[in-house]
């Protein structure tokens, strides 16, 4: 039995846990404010808030309900646009949209309001930039966005004095959200005590593994709903980011947003914000897991390319035994894995970069947010004095699998960074890759992109090369 809180109501249902949450909201609960748009997590019209307890802290995140299986709502607080209404008046987020003429046809408006309501529950210091970033997963075909940005800025001004106060209590006190939000934390504690373990079918039913669902529910939504599912996103043993000496260990269900919030990752990757802003949008980053990106086996998986360059090791389990496998050995062909169907990733780890190691990630896509890469690339370089001691370059979109450019790395090792050397390395890389023409660019264009991204790596890590490489 699935149990969760939907707005201010306790829900218990035996419906298929593989059903998209959007369908449950609209067609079982008849809450029509959450809109059906693209069904691919692109438009944001179906955005809801998901609240859960993490180490006794109530955390809310925006998610696209079209890609969220009902099973991932288990033990959580799900909030739709109806759940933040304060009739007969508008709440301050809704009023900001009205004040700034930020809606026309109105189809996207509920999703935008929910994203901004989610920002009201965020624990970071308020800013106009942060409020605008919170709606990076919402598409509007009417307004041109400037009026929406003004509304976001108005919302940010309402949050400037929240300080360290519990966000939900602050929002209730300021009449930004309904009073029932103040009691959700205690209600979730009581709910969790009534849950009977995980919603996992027996192993003999050969279930499909589902974490965030952001790829599976785009590619094969009907098949997933009809199949027994083992849910991985909510398993505590698969969460967390820790450091053991010089090694970083990540649970398989760590999301992209978890990476962004990790003090360990931010310390060792100072440009992490810049890198991960290129990865999808806020609601998708809140759902998408690193292990899910690995096993999806897309040749242009952003997190796969990121962690390939870090020489990441995977731990896989079949429920009885575990084994380790380097990420670089996971792929045997297009969408083919060196993994048995009954296995799933439990965690992964990599050596944290030291003071002599530089890391950089680049991505080119047709639009900055919420888009799949034409080509992406990451590099890790460890210097031994003035020479390159060790280097790994990963590239996506240039072959049937996420690639490590081993021959290019071998060429670079032991050399001093210089313009001629980098141009030669680009030439070596051209011999390693086999891009194809598709909707994201011609093969020739992708070859050019990789060359430019390799140059961008070196320009970033060795700024003195910038002028020469740009000539």
């Amino acid at each position: 039995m699935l149990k969760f809180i939907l707005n201010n109501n306790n829900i218990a249902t035996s419906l298929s846990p593989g059903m998209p949450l959007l369908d449950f909201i609209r067609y079982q609960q008849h809450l029509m404010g959450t809109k059906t748009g693209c069904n691919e997590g692109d438009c944001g019209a179906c955005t809801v808030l998901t609240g859960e307890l993490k180490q006794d802290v109530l955390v809310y995140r925006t998610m696209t309900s079209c890609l969220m299986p009902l099973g991932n709502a288990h033990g959580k607080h799900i909030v739709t646009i109806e759940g933040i209404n304060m009739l007969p008046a508008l709440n301050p987020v809704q009023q900001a949209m009205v004040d700034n003429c930020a809606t026309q046809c109105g189809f996207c408006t509920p999703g935008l309001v929910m994203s901004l309501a989610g920002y009201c529950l965020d624990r970071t210091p308020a800013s106009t930039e942060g409020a605008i970033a919170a709606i990076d997963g919402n598409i509007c075909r009417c307004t041109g966005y400037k009026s929406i940005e003004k509304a976001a800025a108005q919302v940010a001004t309402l949050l400037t004095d929240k300080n360290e106060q519990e966000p939900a209590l602050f929002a209730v006190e300021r009449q930004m959200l309904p009073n029932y939000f103040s009691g959700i934390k205690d209600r979730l504690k009581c709910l969790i005590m009534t849950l009977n373990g995980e919603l996992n079918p027996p192993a003999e039913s050969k279930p499909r593994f589902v974490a965030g669902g952001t790829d599976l529910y785009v590619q094969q939504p009907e098949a997933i709903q009809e199949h027994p599912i083992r849910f991985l996103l909510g398993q505590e043993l698969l969460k967390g980011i820790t450091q053991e000496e010089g090694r970083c260990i990540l649970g398989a269900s760590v999301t992209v947003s978890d990476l962004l919030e990790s003090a360990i990752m931010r310390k060792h990757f100072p440009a992490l914000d810049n890198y991960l802003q290129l990865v999808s949008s806020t609601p998708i980053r809140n759902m998408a897991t690193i292990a899910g990106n690995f096993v999806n086996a897309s040749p242009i998986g952003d997190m796969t390319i990121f962690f390939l360059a870090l020489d990441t090791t995977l731990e896989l389990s079949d429920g009885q035994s575990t084994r380790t496998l380097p990420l670089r050995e996971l792929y045997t062909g297009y969408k083919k894995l060196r993994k048995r169907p009954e296995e799933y990733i439990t965690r992964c780890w990599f050596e944290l970069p030291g003071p002599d190691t530089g890391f950089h990630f680049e991505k080119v896509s047709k639009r900055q947010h919420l888009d799949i890469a034409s080509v992406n690339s990451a590099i890790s370089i460890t210097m031994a004095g003035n020479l390159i001691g060790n280097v790994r370059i990963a590239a996506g979109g240039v072959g049937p699998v996420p690639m490590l450019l081993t021959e290019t790395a071998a060429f670079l090792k032991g050399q001093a960074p210089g313009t001629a050397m980098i141009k030669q390395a680009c030439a070596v890389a051209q011999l390693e890759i086999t891009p194809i023409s598709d909707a994201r660019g011609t093969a020739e264009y992708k070859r050019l992109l990789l060359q430019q991204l390799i140059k961008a790596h070196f320009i970033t890590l060795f700024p003195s090369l910038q002028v020469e490489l740009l000539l």
Side-chain angles (χ1 to χ4, degrees):
M1 179 72 72
L2 277 165
K3 295 181 180 180
F4 58 97
I5 301 171
L6 177 60
N7 297 327
N8 196 21
N9 300 316
N10 292 329
I11 298 292
T13 177
S14 57
L15 289 170
S16 169
M19 171 190 295
L21 177 62
L22 174 61
D23 290 355
F24 180 82
I25 289 169
R26 287 181 60 84
Y27 308 127
Q28 300 298 321
Q29 298 297 304
H30 308 293
L31 299 172
M32 297 302 182
T34 305
K35 303 303 182 186
T36 300
C38 64
N39 275 326
E40 295 187 353
D42 280 348
C43 71
C46 69
T47 301
V48 297
L49 298 182
T50 299
E52 63 178 317
L53 290 175
K54 295 186 176 183
Q55 298 179 335
D56 203 41
V57 176
L58 179 57
V59 177
Y60 282 94
R61 286 178 171 171
T62 52
M63 297 186 180
T64 54
S65 58
C66 67
L67 301 183
M68 181 177 177
L70 187 60
N72 278 349
H74 192 50
K76 299 182 176 68
H77 181 210
I78 305 299
V79 188
T80 70
I81 187 72
E82 292 86 355
I84 66 168
N85 284 338
M86 300 180 68
L87 300 175
L90 297 176
N91 72 32
V93 175
Q94 295 166 327
Q95 190 62 54
M97 297 288 285
V98 172
D99 293 344
N100 292 279
C101 303
T103 183
Q104 288 187 33
C105 81
F107 194 85
C108 68
T109 305
L112 284 159
V113 170
M114 293 309 295
S115 291
L116 289 173
Y119 187 68
C120 294
L121 295 169
D122 194 272
R123 295 177 180 274
T124 57
S127 68
T128 296
E129 294 75 18
I132 292 174
I135 55 175
D136 61 12
N138 297 90
I139 291 175
C140 175
R141 296 183 181 275
C142 301
T143 63
Y145 296 105
K146 287 303 176 184
S147 55
I148 297 173
E149 290 180 0
K150 291 177 182 178
Q154 182 172 319
V155 171
T157 63
L158 302 174
L159 305 171
T160 52
D161 58 346
K162 67 178 181 180
N163 300 320
E164 300 298 319
Q165 189 173 356
E166 176 69 27
L169 297 181
F170 175 87
V172 168
E173 288 178 5
R174 299 303 174 92
Q175 290 294 290
M176 301 180 75
L177 291 175
N179 290 335
Y180 78 85
F181 270 82
S182 62
I184 289 296
K185 184 174 181 178
D186 289 336
R187 289 174 65 183
L188 282 179
K189 287 181 179 179
C190 294
L191 173 64
I192 290 170
M193 293 176 64
T194 71
L195 303 183
N196 297 317
E198 302 292 342
L199 291 172
N200 290 328
E204 55 267 25
S205 65
K206 297 182 179 179
R208 293 286 300 271
F209 296 108
V210 174
T214 55
D215 278 312
L216 285 176
Y217 275 79
V218 173
Q219 297 171 8
Q220 40 188 304
E222 292 83 8
I224 292 295
Q225 293 178 56
E226 296 171 359
H227 205 282
I229 295 175
R230 181 170 181 184
F231 293 96
L232 303 178
L233 186 65
Q235 294 194 21
E236 289 299 323
L237 292 177
L238 303 182
K239 297 181 179 180
I241 301 174
T242 58
Q243 181 176 348
E244 292 183 4
E245 297 181 348
R247 190 170 70 168
C248 182
I249 303 172
L250 305 100
S253 289
V254 163
T255 66
V256 181
S257 291
D258 292 334
L259 294 176
L260 273 169
E261 295 171 3
S262 165
I264 297 169
M265 292 295 293
R266 298 183 73 86
K267 176 183 176 181
H268 291 276
F269 299 91
L272 190 66
D273 278 332
N274 295 334
Y275 302 152
L276 297 189
Q277 283 176 3
L278 302 175
V279 179
S280 194
S281 66
T282 297
I284 302 300
R285 290 193 292 266
N286 289 341
M287 302 167 68
T289 65
I290 55 170
N293 200 249
F294 297 162
V295 300
N296 184 48
S298 169
I300 43 180
D302 292 321
M303 290 294 91
T304 304
I305 297 303
F306 187 100
F307 285 100
L308 264 177
L310 295 170
D311 199 24
T312 299
T313 298
L314 311 177
E315 180 184 80
L316 297 100
S317 173
D318 60 6
Q320 302 295 324
S321 60
T322 61
R323 67 184 177 101
T324 60
L325 179 72
L327 177 58
R328 64 179 181 274
E329 296 180 11
L330 180 62
Y331 307 103
T332 62
Y334 178 70
K335 291 285 186 175
K336 295 181 179 179
L337 303 175
R338 190 172 279 109
K339 181 186 82 68
R340 300 191 304 275
E342 65 273 18
E343 288 184 311
Y344 60 97
I345 298 173
T346 55
R347 58 179 183 158
C348 64
W349 56 82
F350 63 92
E351 295 296 321
L352 288 162
D356 296 323
T357 298
F359 178 89
H360 190 237
F361 173 81
E362 287 279 356
K363 172 180 176 177
V364 175
S365 54
K366 291 186 177 180
R367 64 185 185 198
Q368 181 176 2
H369 293 296
L370 200 58
D371 202 3
I372 298 171
S374 296
V375 174
N376 50 13
S377 179
I379 192 170
S380 176
I381 296 182
T382 301
M383 298 299 293
N386 294 323
L387 303 179
I388 296 174
N390 192 29
V391 58
R392 287 182 298 273
I393 304 178
V398 291
V401 300
M403 295 184 65
L404 265 181
L405 304 181
T406 55
E407 294 179 17
T408 306
F411 170 80
L412 290 168
K413 189 172 182 178
Q415 300 202 53
T419 303
M421 179 211 70
I422 295 166
K423 290 181 177 179
Q424 285 181 274
C426 290
V428 175
Q430 294 297 316
L431 301 176
E432 290 197 75
I433 63 176
T434 56
I436 61 172
S437 298
D438 57 21
R440 298 179 187 93
T442 64
E444 182 181 10
Y445 174 62
K446 292 176 184 179
R447 287 184 178 276
L448 174 62
L449 284 183
L450 179 61
Q451 175 179 297
Q452 296 303 98
L453 293 188
I454 291 174
K455 290 181 179 179
H457 290 323
F458 280 93
I459 286 172
T460 302
L461 297 177
F462 305 94
S464 61
L465 298 173
Q466 179 170 359
V467 174
E468 297 176 65
L469 279 173
L470 291 176
L471 292 177

